[in-house]
Amino acid sequence: MYNIGENYRTMFGMRDTDQRIDMLKETGEQRWNAYAGGEEKFMMEFPRKVTPEIYDNLDPVSKEFFDYYLDKNRGRHQYSTGAMNMNSLAALFNFDPYINADLLKGRKALIVCGTEAHSRAYSEEAYAKLPRECTEIYWVEGAGHCDLYDDKTKIPFEKFASFFGEMTK
C-alpha cells in the first residue's frame, strides 16, 4: 500500500514547501492551459523501449515497477504509457488516506504487505493509525510490493479466505 498523498507531496525529494508551492502553481497553470484547449502535460511516463543501459541505472524501486508494468505478461497494457496527467497532481497532494480512519471503528481491516516491499513503511504507518482493536497486519515473507499483484505463490489466498470467512459469519 502507499500513502499516495504523502508520496506525491514529497515526490522527487520535494520536502521543501516552496518547491511544492511551485509545483502546484505549475499544475494550476497546466489546468488553465488544458481548459483553454492547450496541450495536456503528462509526467512519469514509462519509456517505450527499455535498454539495458536505462534498466541498469534504475534504483531498486523503479526496477520493481519496470519489471511489473513493462512486462506484457504481467501489468503492461498495450495502450498504457504509465503517464499521469499533471492535472491530477493537486488532488493527489491533498489526498489523506487516514482522514476517516475513525470510521473503521468496529469494522475489521486487514493490511497485507511483503516483508521485502519498498512500501512497507506505508503499511506500518496505516497499521499504527487505524483502530488497533479491528486492524490486523499480515506479513508475506520474502514478498516485494509488486509480488502481491500477481505472484500466485506469494499472494496469501488462505489468509484472505480465513479473514473474509470470519467477516461473513
Side-chain angles (χ1 to χ4, degrees), residues 3 5-23 93 121-122 125:
N3 177 341
E6 177 68 16
N7 190 304
Y8 278 97
R9 283 187 294 276
T10 61
M11 67 184 208
F12 311 122
M14 286 194 302
R15 296 192 183 276
D16 179 85
T17 302
D18 289 335
Q19 289 176 311
R20 294 195 318 255
I21 288 170
D22 289 345
M23 179 62 86
F93 266 41
Y122 292 123
E125 175 186 40

Side-chain angles (χ1 to χ4, degrees), residues 23-36:
M23 179 62 86
L24 288 172
K25 282 181 187 175
E26 185 180 350
T27 300
E29 291 167 7
Q30 171 56 34
R31 291 181 77 178
W32 281 111
N33 181 52
Y35 173 76

Side-chain angles (χ1 to χ4, degrees), residues 106-122:
R107 294 178 177 87
K108 299 286 184 187
L110 174 65
I111 299 168
V112 177
C113 184
T115 57
E116 303 306 311
H118 60 266
S119 55
R120 180 181 177 141
Y122 292 123

Side-chain angles (χ1 to χ4, degrees), residues 37-57:
E39 189 173 328
E40 303 258 358
K41 187 173 181 183
F42 293 87
M43 53 191 289
M44 300 187 307
E45 186 169 2
F46 286 122
R48 284 291 178 204
K49 182 174 174 134
V50 180
T51 63
E53 182 181 350
I54 291 172
Y55 186 81
D56 291 345
N57 287 308

Side-chain angles (χ1 to χ4, degrees), residues 31-125:
R31 291 181 77 178
W32 281 111
N33 181 52
Y35 173 76
E39 189 173 328
E40 303 258 358
K41 187 173 181 183
F42 293 87
M43 53 191 289
M44 300 187 307
E45 186 169 2
F46 286 122
R48 284 291 178 204
K49 182 174 174 134
V50 180
T51 63
E53 182 181 350
I54 291 172
Y55 186 81
D56 291 345
N57 287 308
L58 293 172
D59 61 89
V61 173
S62 296
K63 279 185 180 178
E64 184 175 1
F65 281 127
F66 272 48
D67 289 345
Y68 178 77
Y69 286 107
L70 296 178
D71 183 335
K72 65 182 171 116
N73 296 314
R74 293 186 76 198
R76 177 73 176 193
H77 187 278
Q78 62 182 345
Y79 299 118
S80 175
T81 64
M84 183 187 78
N85 189 309
M86 191 165 180
N87 294 343
S88 301
L89 193 56
L92 291 169
F93 266 41
N94 290 321
F95 180 73
D96 180 353
Y98 310 115
I99 196 84
N100 290 312
D102 59 323
L103 298 179
L104 279 175
K105 191 172 179 111
R107 294 178 177 87
K108 299 286 184 187
L110 174 65
I111 299 168
V112 177
C113 184
T115 57
E116 303 306 311
H118 60 266
S119 55
R120 180 181 177 141
Y122 292 123
S123 294
E124 292 168 339
E125 175 186 40

